[in-house]
Amino acid sequence: MYEIKTPVEGFTGRVAGVDFTDGRATTAAPAALSYFTRRGYTVTPVEAPPPEPDPSPDPPGDDQDSDGPPATPAGRSRSRKG
């Protein structure tokens, strides 16, 4: 992602398919970035914010609900005497 600053301070509007507010916008569109670079806009790479941690991760290896009896594993049935 890149932050774009217009040569006209405070500009609000659309240029090359990118919406600007108060002279600033962000985009990753290669064609728009090329246009802005050629036309004198300031193009600055922006680091993506780190992903937010999952608020309640499941403990590793705990695939069963703790509210009931454990699931019966699949296997061979017992032979019947008869």
Side-chain angles (χ1 to χ4, degrees):
M1 188 68 66
Y2 293 84
E3 180 181 59
I4 315 301
K5 293 182 185 175
T6 64
V8 178
E9 189 175 330
F11 173 77
T12 298
R14 182 176 271 229
V15 178
V18 178
D19 293 320
F20 285 83
T21 303
D22 293 326
R24 296 175 184 239
T26 57
T27 187
L33 293 169
S34 179
Y35 173 85
F36 295 135
T37 301
R38 288 192 317 268
R39 299 293 180 157
Y41 291 68
T42 303
V43 178
T44 308
V46 178
E47 288 186 32
E52 294 187 23
D54 187 359
S56 60
D58 292 333
D62 187 18
D63 294 337
Q64 298 178 0
D65 292 334
S66 61
D67 294 340
T72 305
R76 300 176 122 183
S77 62
R78 297 183 184 184
S79 62
R80 295 184 177 180
K81 294 182 180 177

